[in-house]
Amino acid sequence: MAAALLANTLYSLGFVLEKRALTSLPEVSIRQPARLLRLVLGSPLWIGGSLALAAGFAAQLVVYRTLPIAAAQGIFVSGLVLLVLLSARLLGEETSGRERYALGAILLALLMVVLSLREGTDSVSQDAPYQLILLVCVPSLAAGVWLYGSAERRARNRHRRPTTGVEYGVAVGLLYGVSSLAIKGVSGHLTTDGIGGAVLGLLSSPYPYLLLFTGVFGLVMSQAALQRCRASLIVPVCTTVTCLFTAVLGTLSFGEALPHEPLRLALRVAGTALAVAVLLAMPKHDSAPQPTAPAEELASP
């Protein structure tokens, strides 16, 4: 639990720092990945945010070794409240009333998932059949890249209303969902006796290669999207998609059984359905006021 709360804090802080750094940089694009990387790596503020995200990744490894996947996702999404507060304080972003209701409903949905858990009765699996992992992950990666490309093409239409970033958030969330399953797989290999055996077992699995793909593409795609859209909306959408993807497909892939009691099963299923419904109902166009501070002011500590 402590590791999950720490991961929440680090992830929220990392996204906000990266967003603040991106605000002061020239426009970046996934069509120029080398330029994007050169710009962000030249920003100390962005590097600080990426280090916070890396520390959150390490905390997430600890979480997946001790908690069921569904429970971990419920705790991770509670970090959305901290993210919205930090975005308002450090970025000057404001959320609309409809968006605040949506965030509240998402938290309620994931609270239902957490309440469906019972200590000592939920299994924590360490591995999954590699064929099943690839069957789940490869189409999801293709769907995420395709959806992001579609959002990019629509965004280039200058007569289109400003987007909230929901499409971007869903696309990046699919990639991060695959990454989350890979992190779960890596955490299982860390329990192997002996460093040599753990490394060999890990390299013979699909997990490090999925992490490499999602790391590279997720970095480029998320930074371009984060620069264009409000962190207080795109990150919650991305987080919700990632958590639902991981909780549902991860639970099935790793064989972590659903609750047998009717009440606990109902809470888990209803919580998942509510989160999906809220995500589909979120506004697709931006009407919330944007921060008007100049880039120089936003870049200052």
Side-chain angles (χ1 to χ4, degrees), residues 127-252:
D127 206 355
Y130 295 159
Q131 298 87 344
L132 180 58
I133 289 294
L134 292 174
L135 181 63
V136 168
C137 292
V138 172
S140 302
L141 292 174
V145 172
W146 175 83
L147 181 59
Y148 193 98
S150 299
E152 282 281 278
R153 288 189 293 272
R154 287 193 294 271
R156 286 198 290 271
N157 183 352
R158 65 183 58 188
H159 301 295
R160 184 176 173 84
R161 293 171 58 192
T163 179
T164 58
V166 170
E167 296 96 335
Y168 290 119
V170 172
V172 176
L174 286 173
L175 262 71
Y176 284 167
V178 171
S179 178
S180 189
L181 291 188
I183 293 172
K184 169 69 174 177
V186 169
S187 71
H189 281 279
L190 295 180
T191 61
T192 303
D193 293 333
I195 297 178
V199 171
L200 288 177
L202 189 59
L203 292 178
S204 64
S205 75
Y207 303 125
Y209 313 105
L210 290 173
L211 278 177
L212 179 62
F213 182 92
T214 55
V216 173
F217 278 82
L219 173 64
V220 174
M221 291 164 58
S222 64
Q223 298 311 300
L226 196 58
Q227 187 182 59
R228 295 171 191 159
C229 309
R230 285 182 290 125
S232 56
L233 187 65
I234 190 172
V235 175
V237 171
C238 175
T239 302
T240 302
V241 172
T242 298
C243 289
L244 288 173
F245 180 97
T246 308
V248 176
L249 296 180
T251 296
L252 296 175

Side-chain angles (χ1 to χ4, degrees), residues 41-127:
L41 291 175
S43 168
L45 190 60
W46 186 91
I47 292 175
S50 64
L51 290 176
L53 291 177
F57 168 84
Q60 194 173 357
L61 282 174
V62 176
V63 174
Y64 281 146
R65 292 180 65 180
T66 55
L67 286 179
I69 291 177
Q73 302 316 305
I75 299 171
F76 287 147
V77 174
S78 66
L80 294 178
V81 174
L82 178 60
L83 185 280
V84 171
L85 293 175
L86 288 175
S87 297
R89 178 66 181 87
L90 299 179
L91 302 176
E93 295 182 352
E94 295 182 18
T95 55
S96 68
R98 182 178 176 184
E99 291 165 358
R100 286 192 291 272
Y101 284 126
L103 289 176
I106 288 173
L107 289 176
L108 174 61
L110 289 152
L111 174 62
M112 294 168 69
V113 173
V114 172
L115 290 176
S116 72
L117 300 165
R118 179 177 298 170
E119 186 176 0
T121 61
D122 293 288
S123 60
V124 180
S125 178
Q126 301 298 334
D127 206 355

